[in-house]
Structure formats: structure tokens, C-alpha cells
Amino acid sequence: GPEAQGIFAKHGFRPVLPEVKIKFAAAFPKVADLFNIGFFGGWDKVNSQFFGENGIFVEASEAAHRQP
């Protein structure tokens, strides 16, 4: 909802609700080639590829914990 979108926007995430976009317009200027999750193949693919058992973020997190 709008309240949650406002909180996310305050932390640097671009809002998608029109009323919140207006409120944070100065912080998030219009982008000519803005894309959505479909660009990456949809949530099912992204969740698996990035957050799944052997996902990119899992591998990165494990590598970071192995660093001295």
C-alpha cells in the first residue's frame, strides 16, 4: 500500500503507486528505459536464479563469509 511504498522510497527503492511516485518525484527522476521484473524472465526465474538453493546471492553470501 501507499504507506509501505513510502517507507521503501525513503530507503532508495523506486515506488510504483502513482500517489507515492508523485510524492517522491524529485528523488526518482523519470528514466527513459525503466524496466520491470519481466525483463529478467519473471519472478519464478529470478527467485530461483538469484535466491534459490544455489542462487547468485547465496553464492555471494557464502563467498563473503569465507573471506578472511
Side-chain angles (χ1 to χ4, degrees), residues 5-27:
Q5 288 273 308
I7 293 168
F8 282 123
K10 287 178 185 176
H11 291 280
F13 295 94
R14 187 177 291 271
V16 296
L17 296 175
E19 64 270 29
V20 183
K21 287 168 88 173
I22 291 168
K23 183 176 178 183
F24 290 92

Side-chain angles (χ1 to χ4, degrees), residues 24-51:
F24 290 92
F28 299 98
K30 188 173 179 127
V31 177
D33 294 327
L34 189 63
F35 55 87
N36 62 31
I37 198 69
F39 179 82
F40 297 103
W43 280 112
D44 288 340
K45 181 178 179 184
V46 170
N47 279 331
S48 175
Q49 183 178 3
F50 286 85
F51 306 108

